[in-house]
Every structure is written in C-alpha cells, then in structure tokens.
Amino acid sequence: MTGGPLAGVRVIDLTHALAGPYATMLLADLGADVLKVEPPSGDLARRAGPYPPGDDGREFGGYFQSVNRGKRSIVLDLKTPEGAAMLRNLAAEAEVLIENFTPGVMERFGLSYESLAAVNPRLVYAALRGFGDPRSGKSPYQAWPAFDVVIQAMAGIMGITGTEDGTPIKVGPGVGDIFPGALLALGVTSALYEARASGRGQFVDVAMYDAILSLCERIVYQYSYTGEVPRPEGNRHPLLSPFDILPATDGWVAIAAPNDNRWHRLCELIDRPDLAADPGLATNDLRVSRRGEVYQALEAWTRDRTKADILTRLGGHVPVGAVRDAAEIMADPHVAARDMAVSLEHPGTATTFTVAGQPLKFSRTPAVPRRRAPLLDEHGSQVRASLDHQRGAPHPRTEPDLSQGST
C-alpha cells in the first residue's frame, strides 16, 4: 500500500491524555513517523481502560489504543540532563515536535522552542494548551489546568447546550479535546507546507478555549447582530425550522427541512398539504416564529411509527436520521463501506478490537491506521541505535523506571 500523504515526515510527540495524542494520531494515520516520547511511568492514559477480557498484562486499554495507534514509543526522563539531551538530538533530526504541557514546562527542561529552533531552523514546534501559549497572547488563565468539561463550560458549548429550562448539559464526545487536536493537526500540516518553501519552521499554538469558541461561532455573530445572549433550547434550533428530534415508537429521529423546497416535500410525504399551503409557514423565518406548531405537526406523524418506517418514507427526500447507539452504528453498512471501523490487535490477547477509522480519504495516498498503539518504550532501543549510527557517537540510554512520576 502507498504511504499516506505525510510519509517521511518525522514527528516527536510529547503529548499525553487526549487532545495532543489525538492530533498526533491524525498525523500518524496520514503516514507520518510519530515517535511518542513518554516519561518512565508512561502516559497516564495507558492506565485508562477498558481492558479486554483475559489481558492480565494491561499494557494499555481502549482509550490509549484509539488515539495512539500507529505510533512508536521511547522512554525519556526529561527531568534528567541525559533525557533532555536525547530529546534535543531527536528534535535536531525531526520536522515536527508537538507538546501539551502547561506553559513553562519545556523551558524548565531547557527545551524551549527557541533553543530547539536554533539547532534545527526547519522545526515546526506545536503546542496545545488549555488557554494557549504566552507567545501568541497572554491569557489571564494561562497557568490554569484544563479538561474537556471545563473548556466546554467556559468557551460556549454548555451555554447553548441543555434543556429548555436552561440546565446546561455536557456534549457526550470529548470535543473540548478532540476539536483542538484536529485544528492543531491542520496547523502543523500548514506550517510544514510553508516550511517546504521558506526553509524555516515556526511556532504553532492552539488553545483549547480558542478552538471551542471557534466551534461555537454561531453564538458570536448571533450576539453581535442581535444583542441577544443565546441560551440552551433543548433539541430545537433558534434560527432554523423544522430542525428537531422527534419521537418514534422505538426511539427517536432527527428531521431537518428548513429549506422551503424541503419543507414542501416533507409536508407532501407526511400527507399534510395544508401545512405546505399555509402562508404563515411559507418561509424558514415564519416557521421559526411558529416552531412549536411545526414540531407538534411532525410529532403527530412520527410518534406512531417506527424509526425504520420513518426512514423508509423520508430517507433520500429530506434530511432525516435515526438516533443510534454504538451497536446500531457498527451494524450500519455505511460504516463498513467507508472503513470507519478498524480492527487492531491488542497485546495480551489473540482477539482484535475496533477503533474509529480515519474520515480523511485520499485517492492515491490512503490515510489509514496501520498498526496498534505501542508498548511503553517498545522502540527505544531501535531509536537510540539509530541516533548512535547517525551521529557516530554513543548516547546515554534511559531505561524505564516505573517508580518515578510522570513529567
């Protein structure tokens, strides 16, 4: 198989938890050689499950597998002069370095962007932090630690996601981590593209707060244009109608037909020509003003039908989809046709397990998960030997010491 579009790009991955590893996982799927640098105790995510039955070794669980697939691993204790020196040697040969420590940590290790770029001017150094790096703008929250739920709260998601009485609800997926990670991967590839022409790398900075605020772009222009503060509205949309989650006899379905032509087609399919003929419902803005009536009309049609019946009638004509759980999604032929469920081996068991596939599709250079997540320091000897060969001099070897804390 042809390598991915980033084949040959060497990435030093100092990230941990979810946001940073998600970014470097994307680069690994795209073909980059991603070397995960871990402290002697390993990434904390290694100890997060779920673990497969019979896996007594518990080298890692599903969490770690999902976002660290396709990478290599080396153990370095950056708190020691030897570990820091090895990292500098690795960065001198790499095109990209990515970290998600709090501000100042890399400086304390003597591994700042400026010091590494002085040795390797082509280095793209990327940082992902809760509130950004002071190089790009000093946030009053700069030193605050951050997790997905905190960022969802601060940057706008929970302000518009919740019940109609205003009770905020966290979005299920860790979007406060995953969306910033995806943006960082875009920033890194953009900087790589520019460096190919200029011969110079640069510092790339993504704040989780900034990323999620950009994801909530509607609240910014809505507040600016109307002066109104957007609030949680349950499953309804403040600007579009119909755009609803409706009950079926065996679950729920989503129906969205704010376009006037789609609205008329929907009315035809549910045998309600009177709705299509009502001048007070002729435009989306009018339907928004009477969206309670629109919802009741659609609910009267869906509530006595199964999800399958509703999809059979509406599918392909108006935007419609059933609310599905993981088992239903894994049985969906779309998922198989698009390679969106990928099986990987798992150490300690002969069984393969499934992770989410790669949504980026390329006609010539496929981006696919190629191998499982690494064991701790699985590639350490190989990497050290390679550096020794390239530089013609011995380098200090740091063996794993599980008694030490993480960096």
Side-chain angles (χ1 to χ4, degrees), residues 11-376:
V11 179
I12 306 303
D13 177 9
L14 293 169
T15 67
H16 54 279
L18 178 56
Y22 188 85
T24 52
M25 175 272 286
L26 291 176
L27 301 179
D29 279 2
L30 290 167
D33 175 16
V34 177
L35 179 63
K36 186 175 180 69
V37 177
E38 301 186 65
S41 59
D43 184 339
L44 286 173
R46 285 186 178 274
R47 298 189 283 281
Y51 299 98
D55 177 17
D56 296 329
R58 296 198 166 191
E59 297 285 353
F60 55 75
Y63 180 157
F64 188 85
Q65 170 88 293
S66 180
V67 295
N68 288 285
R69 67 209 191 193
K71 304 176 186 178
R72 299 188 294 154
S73 171
I74 184 173
V75 164
L76 296 178
D77 187 350
L78 300 183
K79 295 177 180 178
T80 68
E82 296 81 10
M86 178 69 79
L87 194 283
R88 277 193 291 273
N89 291 339
L90 289 170
E93 304 294 335
E95 291 175 84
V96 179
L97 183 146
I98 302 179
E99 51 99 347
N100 64 341
F101 296 119
T102 53
V105 168
M106 290 292 280
E107 282 74 12
R108 290 196 294 274
F109 292 151
L111 299 169
S112 68
Y113 161 64
E114 289 76 13
S115 66
L116 297 179
V119 176
N120 180 3
R122 296 181 64 91
L123 182 68
V124 172
Y125 185 118
L128 198 162
R129 319 195 196 284
F131 303 97
D133 188 275
R135 293 175 178 86
S136 306
K138 293 185 178 180
S139 167
Y141 316 117
Q142 207 93 68
W144 289 21
F147 279 100
D148 163 62
V149 66
V150 172
I151 295 300
Q152 286 198 35
M154 292 184 70
I157 288 182
M158 289 191 197
I160 55 173
T161 304
T163 59
E164 293 181 49
D165 67 3
T167 302
I169 296 176
K170 179 182 77 70
V171 174
V175 292
D177 287 308
I178 289 174
F179 187 64
L183 288 185
L184 191 72
L186 173 63
V188 165
T189 53
S190 300
L192 278 172
Y193 177 83
E194 194 278 337
R196 295 287 170 91
S198 69
R200 298 170 59 200
Q202 58 186 304
F203 188 88
V204 180
D205 174 23
V206 171
M208 295 164 67
Y209 187 119
D210 299 352
I212 297 307
L213 179 57
S214 75
L215 182 65
C216 297
E217 47 81 37
R218 172 174 64 82
I219 67 173
V220 177
Y221 72 74
Q222 194 175 353
Y223 177 64
S224 176
Y225 276 70
T226 69
E228 298 177 1
V229 175
R231 303 293 184 191
E233 301 193 38
N235 287 320
R236 300 183 184 182
H237 196 289
L239 305 176
L240 303 173
S241 179
F243 208 90
D244 297 301
I245 307 297
L246 296 143
T249 60
D250 58 349
W252 301 83
V253 295
I255 297 176
N259 176 277
D260 296 341
N261 291 333
R262 297 289 192 190
W263 165 247
H264 283 90
R265 181 62 172 142
L266 175 60
C267 295
E268 177 186 333
L269 291 167
I270 66 172
D271 300 318
R272 290 296 304 271
D274 57 305
L275 296 175
D278 186 341
L281 299 174
T283 68
N284 175 69
D285 287 345
L286 291 171
R287 291 190 293 276
V288 168
S289 69
R290 294 171 58 184
R291 60 185 177 177
E293 295 175 51
V294 172
Y295 181 89
Q296 291 172 6
L298 295 180
E299 181 190 28
W301 184 81
T302 64
R303 66 188 175 200
D304 296 324
R305 291 171 168 80
T306 66
K307 294 187 292 185
D309 290 340
I310 295 168
L311 296 181
T312 298
R313 176 69 70 88
L314 303 183
H317 301 287
V318 296
V320 61
V323 176
R324 290 174 168 168
D325 60 27
E328 291 171 314
I329 292 169
M330 289 301 98
D332 189 342
H334 170 97
V335 174
R338 300 283 297 176
D339 295 323
M340 284 308 299
V342 178
S343 294
L344 298 175
E345 64 174 344
H346 194 104
T349 175
T351 306
T352 60
F353 294 88
T354 303
V355 298
Q358 175 53 249
L360 287 166
K361 312 296 184 185
F362 297 85
S363 63
R364 289 190 301 100
T365 56
V368 295
R370 288 173 170 80
R371 60 180 183 267
R372 62 163 172 79
L375 305 177
L376 183 62

